[in-house]
Amino acid sequence: MPQAELLTEIWRGDFMESRHMGHAVVCDDAGNIVESWGDPDKIVLPRSSSKMLQGLPLVESGAADAAGLSTEHLALACASHQGAAIHTDRVSRWLADLGMGDDNLRCGAQMPADPAAMKGILCSDSSPCQIHNNCSGKHAGFLTLTKHLGAGPEYIDLDHPVQLAVRAAFEEVTGETSPGYGVDGCSAPNFATSLHGMARAMGFFAGAREGAGTRETAAARLRDAMALHPELVAGETRACTELMRAAGGAASLKTGAEAFFVAILPHQKLGVALKIDDGGTRGAECAIAAILVRLGVLAADHPATLKRMNAPVTNWRGVTTGVIRPAATLLS
């Protein structure tokens, strides 16, 4: 069995102080492996990187169009957002349009990561709500599909029609029967697959064309909504948002907890899936940036790239003491 490979290095002066080992796969739109590092067959939980797959039933069922959802709604359905006003205001209006509210969500309350939103809560007598949860857009999508299907309120249950539809779509686009699932931070099931399976799914999204069938149309709409609204997919200072902007629409990117990352590259019709074994976000962000530079999607000298790849490590006095850089295998 192939072993994890060194993907990201942390240097302090002349010493490699830390290493991030991991796995990555690049697939074409037919699901063939173009390049790989580590073990393509590694079974993974893609976490929030799978939100585009979880959003497929929302669109292909007709629920999105029946509810009049815009590209902003579809971007939020794929988002792990900061809980900023641009996110929570839109989710609140979305729920209101459904005739629902915060209590209908099942994702749990979460303190927003957006500094202004966090300060507003901490400096008042209020508490965070479920709309502040980074997954509230995905859950609003689940509720939209629930209403369309006339299903019960517990849409996160494994045997609920929403999750049955999600699992079916997940297995079909990954090309694999899922070996199981974990419960995500937002309480929804998160289905497992191989890293190759996730890259295969991203390759499918990359090659999808509107008008080429119900599923391809749904995939293309979700992919393009993410690229059109990078600020809704994550938020200011976040890697997904900044790297999508840097790619100029040539990539749709999504991170997942525990150092997962995926990329959809429609111009090249390529999909990428990446997992860092130790769960270190800095390792995943550096490695995905390096792979995107390798594939010609990002400029190596773009500020958003340099913030993750070959990023300086500084101390409390602002002195550069080291660097976070991709391993040579990602550059050769």
Side-chain angles (χ1 to χ4, degrees):
M1 180 188 302
Q3 299 298 307
E5 290 191 34
L6 176 62
L7 297 182
T8 301
E9 306 172 353
I10 316 300
W11 286 77
R12 186 169 296 267
D14 295 330
F15 299 91
M16 189 193 299
E17 190 171 35
S18 298
R19 309 191 310 164
H20 292 286
M21 311 293 290
H23 316 262
V25 178
V26 181
C27 273
D28 62 21
D29 61 340
N32 302 308
I33 295 178
V34 176
E35 283 189 284
S36 68
W37 298 263
D39 182 8
D41 296 322
K42 179 180 176 64
I43 299 300
V44 293
L45 290 168
R47 304 296 297 275
S48 285
S49 290
S50 64
K51 284 182 177 175
M52 300 84 79
L53 283 69
Q54 292 170 310
L56 283 171
L58 169 66
V59 182
E60 62 187 9
S61 67
D65 289 338
L69 300 191
S70 68
T71 55
E72 290 187 353
H73 292 101
L74 297 185
L76 281 168
C78 300
S80 296
H81 62 68
Q82 296 278 74
I86 64 168
H87 307 119
T88 56
D89 289 351
R90 285 169 170 79
V91 173
S92 292
R93 288 197 298 270
W94 186 352
L95 293 173
D97 289 343
L98 292 173
M100 299 182 185
D102 195 80
D103 289 345
N104 295 103
L105 296 171
R106 297 292 184 267
C107 51
Q110 178 184 2
M111 181 64 75
D114 176 73
M118 182 187 296
K119 182 178 180 181
I121 290 174
L122 293 175
C123 295
S124 69
D125 293 330
S126 60
S127 300
C129 300
Q130 294 190 89
I131 60 166
H132 295 106
N133 188 297
N134 76 96
C135 298
S136 65
K138 177 181 80 174
H139 282 249
F142 285 160
L143 282 171
T144 304
L145 181 56
T146 295
K147 183 176 181 178
H148 186 73
L149 297 175
E154 301 307 321
Y155 61 83
I156 58 172
D157 289 352
L158 193 64
D159 60 353
H160 191 277
V162 166
Q163 298 307 327
L164 293 175
V166 167
R167 181 165 192 157
F170 182 91
E171 292 183 336
E172 287 161 13
V173 296
T174 58
E176 300 174 359
T177 299
S178 175
Y181 72 98
V183 177
D184 217 330
C186 67
S187 294
N190 193 250
F191 298 106
T193 188
S194 71
L195 199 66
H196 183 190
M198 273 304 287
R200 182 186 291 117
M202 296 304 102
F204 165 74
F205 271 80
R209 295 177 296 111
E210 283 206 52
T214 302
R215 174 147 296 164
E216 282 202 38
T217 295
R221 289 177 63 185
L222 291 164
R223 174 198 71 208
D224 294 346
M226 292 173 67
L228 186 62
H229 304 289
E231 69 285 352
L232 297 181
V233 174
E236 301 307 321
T237 77
R238 292 275 301 282
C240 292
T241 294
E242 293 188 343
L243 294 177
M244 278 196 282
R245 286 174 177 163
S252 296
L253 307 176
K254 188 70 192 69
T255 189
E258 299 301 326
F260 211 96
F261 230 112
V262 295
I264 302 168
L265 313 179
H267 297 170
Q268 292 99 327
K269 295 186 179 180
L270 296 176
V272 183
L274 164 73
K275 167 66 178 174
I276 296 295
D277 276 350
D278 62 18
T281 299
R282 66 179 182 180
E285 291 184 357
C286 178
I288 196 68
I291 290 172
L292 294 177
V293 169
R294 181 187 185 93
L295 296 175
V297 175
L298 285 180
D301 59 354
H302 192 284
T305 308
L306 293 173
K307 186 175 176 180
R308 281 100 193 165
M309 173 182 163
N310 300 320
V313 176
T314 58
N315 67 13
W316 292 111
R317 293 184 62 212
V319 176
T320 297
T321 59
V323 65
I324 302 173
R325 73 188 192 197
T329 185
L330 293 181
L331 303 174
S332 59

